[in-house]
Amino acid sequence: MKLMIRHGTAKYVIFVLIGLVVVSIEGLLLPETIRLVIEGLENGSLQELAFGVGFGIVGFLILGLGSYFYQWSIAKLIKNFNVSVKTTVYEHHVHKHQKGSESRSSDVLSFLQNDVKLLENNYIMAWIISIQTIVLASVASGYILSVNVTLGFIFIVFALVTMIFPKLNQKKIENSSKDWSKANEDYTNELVEDIKGVETIIGYQREITFFERLKLSITNAEVKNVKMTLAQALASLTAYIASHILSLIPVFIGGLFVFNGLLEVEALVAVYIASDRIANPLSVAAENIDKLSTTKGIRKKLSIIEEENNAFKQNDNHSLESILPFEIRDGIVQFDNNLILDRFDLEINAGEKLLLLGESGSGKTTILNLIQQNISLTEGQITYGGEIERSTRAVNRNISYIRQTPMIFNETLEFNITLGEDFEPEELYQSIKAAGLSSAVKERGLDFIVGENGQNLSGGQNQRVEIARAILRKRELLIADEVTAALDKETAQGIHNTLFSLPQAIIEVSHHVKEENFADYDRVYKIENKKLNSKIYTREFATD
């Protein structure tokens, strides 16, 4: 209930409760209408007959309007719930990424596509239906008791017994739900990998292998789904059979009441019709209560996500006026007792242009993660502007990361530069000019849709979009990670010149730069044999 209020809003939860109370008048409307009509017929009174029919017409009009309000409220509640939950899960993915923790995209995708839908069906709707049917049964029970207390009590007791049977299958349903959720997550993970690796699969002609591999994963997920569905079906079948058998025994007892002159026939008919609003709704309630157990693990996971999001927001109040000079002193990095980088020093000062060289796997990414506080040193100390700062968010507010393959969204050129943030037009055009994008903007305009992955722009233009993002935010340190590796020589040189014309400090990462170009940098760091070595230059000529 709390989860539904947090994500669906209390307003619509209240509306749903009001709606279900209104629609629950069905528990007395039809039986009372039938009783009044039969009574009018037995008495031969046209007035009583007309009253009975009129009572039913007005009642069903109110019931219809209430039902529409009820369904409208449910739709609004589900919409708000889904929007809030999906946003919360994505926020958590972003926060975990910022903290350097592992948060696989496939896991997030599986939660958003599968688990949220299960929450909608087996939590929100199951909860609403459970409450609505219990209220309906309560209204019907009250009506029956008002007709004849003794017979009403008998009908109610037999109806309540039907709720025992579905509980026998609750544990089985819960376990089958966990198995299905895990199998579906595994399938989604494998599917994402296979989509990403399609070129490799085709290149080595391994299509059949991966088709069969994925088919096994799909089959496993579907088998688990069948088991979960059958477990729910068994619980439903048990409730269905029990409710119908147990509803006929009180009818026989009611017949004895009629034989002994203790009850009128029309009253027995009305009670029997009303009793159908007890046994069946309670069996439906029991079935949906069982469904709630299938979401127990998902709800627990979502609660943890909410707690971690709140903790992140509470800690996201650090700020640093400057992170430079940045220093690592006597740093050592180990992962699982495996030495990555031996004792080393690193220094970045305002406005400096630095080069970080190293082969793939040598530790370049480790150093970048250290700079951004994504990981910590095993030994040694890191300072930002002379201070020891442990807030990743505060550090990264002062860093722009320019990647080899920039993330370009299927949006306008302007959106890809601003990322939806508001800037003064003059600031925007200055960043465009400094990044060398003026000709592209002049030719196509800021409203130009760049296409998926920037397919309507050249590779160099995509890189300049990333550079414009960095320039626009005026962050004092730019990390350029293999930004020219996939570009032709002329475009690469143009990007290089653009970066080095900026006033910010820049650390360029590459696996290879000709030594004759070292003089372009203030300092060159090179990783060899787990050691970080450095040479100082003046950007005009090298010095020992």
Side-chain angles (χ1 to χ4, degrees):
M1 180 71 164
K2 290 180 181 179
L3 188 68
M4 199 180 307
I5 292 173
R6 282 200 305 273
H7 293 284
T9 70
K11 170 185 171 182
Y12 289 111
V13 171
I14 292 171
F15 282 179
V16 167
L17 292 174
I18 293 172
L20 66 83
V21 169
V22 174
V23 299
S24 295
I25 66 171
E26 184 191 0
L28 60 85
L29 181 58
L30 182 61
E32 181 61 12
T33 299
I34 297 299
R35 188 190 71 79
L36 290 172
V37 168
I38 294 176
E39 187 176 56
L41 291 172
E42 286 186 338
N43 295 335
S45 171
L46 181 61
Q47 185 177 1
E48 289 182 6
L49 177 62
F51 176 78
V53 173
F55 175 83
I57 290 172
V58 173
F60 280 110
L61 281 173
I62 294 172
L63 182 64
L65 292 173
S67 179
Y68 178 83
F69 175 76
Y70 178 51
Q71 294 299 326
W72 176 84
S73 301
I74 291 173
K76 290 289 187 179
L77 176 66
I78 289 175
K79 184 209 78 173
N80 287 355
F81 183 88
N82 285 344
V83 169
S84 178
V85 168
K86 289 178 180 181
T87 303
T88 298
V89 172
Y90 180 71
E91 283 181 6
H92 182 259
H93 174 63
V94 173
H95 295 160
K96 293 283 280 187
H97 182 78
Q98 289 181 19
K99 291 173 66 178
S101 303
E102 183 180 359
S103 180
R104 293 190 301 178
S105 300
S106 53
D107 293 343
V108 177
L109 189 62
S110 176
F111 192 100
L112 294 177
Q113 288 185 328
N114 304 313
D115 292 353
V116 173
K117 193 65 181 177
L118 197 65
L119 281 175
E120 179 184 326
N121 293 330
N122 288 14
Y123 173 61
I124 296 180
M125 288 309 302
W127 182 88
I128 291 172
I129 292 171
S130 297
I131 298 297
Q132 193 263 322
T133 49
I134 289 171
V135 172
L136 174 62
S138 299
V139 171
S141 299
Y143 175 78
I144 289 173
L145 290 171
S146 70
V147 174
N148 187 291
V149 174
T150 304
L151 185 61
F153 180 76
I154 293 171
F155 267 98
I156 291 169
V157 168
F158 274 88
L160 290 175
V161 171
T162 63
M163 297 188 68
I164 297 173
F165 297 95
K167 303 298 290 182
L168 302 175
N169 298 293
Q170 185 170 345
K171 193 66 178 177
K172 186 176 182 180
I173 292 173
E174 190 173 323
N175 290 336
S176 64
S177 173
K178 288 180 181 177
D179 291 343
W180 172 80
S181 185
K182 178 64 169 61
N184 213 49
E185 185 177 300
D186 291 342
Y187 154 66
T188 303
N189 293 341
E190 187 173 320
L191 179 61
V192 170
E193 280 187 349
D194 289 357
I195 290 173
K196 287 181 178 179
V198 66
E199 291 183 359
T200 301
I201 295 169
I202 294 172
Y204 287 94
Q205 294 84 47
R206 301 308 303 160
E207 294 95 332
I208 299 300
T209 299
F210 280 84
F211 289 162
E212 293 299 323
R213 182 169 169 265
L214 185 62
K215 184 178 178 180
L216 285 174
S217 185
I218 294 171
T219 301
N220 183 49
E222 292 303 322
V223 166
K224 300 296 184 185
N225 183 51
V226 168
K227 287 184 178 179
M228 181 179 71
T229 303
L230 289 178
Q232 293 175 350
L234 179 61
S236 299
L237 177 63
T238 305
Y240 177 81
I241 294 174
S243 67
H244 282 77
I245 291 176
L246 294 176
S247 68
L248 290 174
I249 296 174
V251 172
F252 176 77
I253 298 173
L256 297 179
F257 276 51
V258 173
F259 288 155
N260 288 281
L262 300 174
L263 193 70
E264 298 295 331
V265 173
E266 65 267 22
L268 176 60
V269 173
V271 167
Y272 177 71
I273 293 173
S275 71
D276 190 50
R277 271 71 177 167
I278 299 176
N280 286 339
L282 287 180
S283 65
V284 171
E287 177 186 340
N288 280 276
I289 289 171
D290 281 335
K291 285 184 179 180
L292 291 173
S293 64
T294 67
T295 65
K296 184 177 179 180
I298 299 172
R299 283 182 278 135
K300 183 177 179 181
K301 186 190 295 186
L302 184 57
S303 295
I304 293 171
I305 286 173
E306 290 174 325
E307 290 173 6
E308 292 183 351
N309 279 358
N310 291 333
F312 180 87
K313 291 172 182 176
Q314 289 173 4
N315 294 327
D316 187 27
N317 56 4
H318 298 275
S319 62
L320 283 170
E321 290 185 7
S322 174
I323 62 169
L324 301 179
F326 167 83
E327 292 184 302
I328 296 178
R329 291 286 175 254
D330 297 323
I332 294 178
V333 181
Q334 288 182 324
F335 294 141
D336 299 327
N337 296 320
N338 181 31
L339 181 65
I340 306 300
L341 288 169
D342 205 350
R343 198 169 298 278
F344 69 98
D345 296 333
L346 177 66
E347 180 180 349
I348 308 173
N349 296 302
E352 284 188 332
K353 307 298 186 276
L354 309 180
L355 175 63
L356 177 60
L357 285 173
E359 298 297 327
S360 296
S362 62
K364 300 191 299 298
T365 301
T366 298
I367 289 178
L368 298 184
N369 282 328
L370 287 169
I371 293 173
Q372 298 172 91
Q373 283 278 308
N374 290 332
I375 61 173
S376 301
L377 290 169
T378 306
E379 292 183 22
Q381 186 180 74
I382 298 177
T383 58
Y384 299 89
E387 298 180 11
I388 299 174
E389 174 58 47
R390 302 196 181 280
S391 169
T392 303
R393 186 79 163 170
V395 168
N396 285 318
R397 285 193 183 106
N398 293 275
I399 297 175
S400 286
Y401 197 124
I402 304 172
R403 292 165 175 79
Q404 177 182 350
T405 306
M407 181 62 221
I408 304 297
F409 298 92
N410 187 18
E411 262 282 2
T412 65
L413 188 54
E414 180 177 0
F415 179 87
N416 272 283
I417 296 172
T418 65
L419 298 178
E421 191 175 353
D422 291 328
F423 291 95
E424 293 295 329
E426 184 60 28
E427 291 180 300
L428 178 59
Y429 281 104
Q430 284 180 358
S431 68
I432 289 170
K433 182 179 179 181
L437 273 174
S438 297
S439 59
V441 172
K442 185 176 180 180
E443 178 186 349
R444 298 179 172 182
L446 285 171
D447 292 333
F448 173 69
I449 302 295
V450 301
E452 188 176 353
N453 297 320
Q455 64 185 15
N456 297 330
L457 298 175
S458 68
Q461 286 173 329
N462 284 328
Q463 282 291 4
R464 291 184 185 279
V465 168
E466 182 89 287
I467 293 170
R469 289 174 186 165
I471 295 172
L472 186 57
R473 286 158 178 82
K474 299 181 175 126
R475 295 178 175 178
E476 58 183 336
L477 175 60
L478 272 61
I479 297 174
D481 189 1
E482 302 277 7
V483 293
T484 60
L487 303 176
D488 62 79
K489 185 176 181 181
E490 183 179 350
T491 304
Q493 187 60 48
I495 295 291
H496 179 83
N497 292 342
T498 297
L499 288 172
F500 275 65
S501 68
L502 301 175
Q504 290 100 322
I506 294 174
I507 179 165
E508 184 176 351
V509 182
S510 180
H511 67 278
H512 178 71
V513 171
K514 292 181 180 179
E515 191 166 353
E516 62 194 58
N517 295 325
F518 283 3
D520 292 343
Y521 303 89
D522 293 297
R523 193 178 299 110
V524 174
Y525 288 94
K526 189 172 184 180
I527 304 174
E528 292 181 307
N529 299 320
K530 301 181 182 180
K531 292 280 189 179
L532 181 65
N533 304 306
S534 68
K535 284 188 178 182
I536 299 174
Y537 293 83
T538 66
R539 286 196 243 173
E540 281 95 19
F541 57 92
T543 61
D544 292 331

